[in-house]
Amino acid sequence: MSKSIAGFCAISLLIVLDAEDCYDAIRRRAAVRYVIARGKLLAETSPAKISFYGI
């Protein structure tokens, strides 16, 4: 008797957040930097550029 689940597909997924640790990610609602699935880069977000000018 087979114990496999019909239609089950294992996908390895890695989501990299722009945060120091898990607490920082939750506190700051960190942006997603990279999404990697099956060893391929699916999405990449560049960090925001902030410029300050003299008043």
Side-chain angles (χ1 to χ4, degrees):
M1 181 179 222
S2 175
K3 293 187 177 185
S4 64
I5 299 172
F8 177 75
C9 179
I11 298 175
S12 55
L13 180 68
L14 174 66
I15 298 174
V16 180
L17 300 176
D18 186 17
E20 300 266 334
D21 54 30
C22 61
Y23 301 108
D24 187 39
I26 294 169
R27 183 175 50 248
R28 293 189 308 116
R29 296 183 183 183
V32 174
R33 286 296 314 269
Y34 303 101
V35 177
I36 301 168
R38 296 182 185 169
K40 294 182 181 179
L41 182 63
L42 297 181
E44 178 180 1
T45 304
S46 299
K49 181 181 176 187
I50 300 172
S51 300
F52 291 98
Y53 301 102
I55 297 176

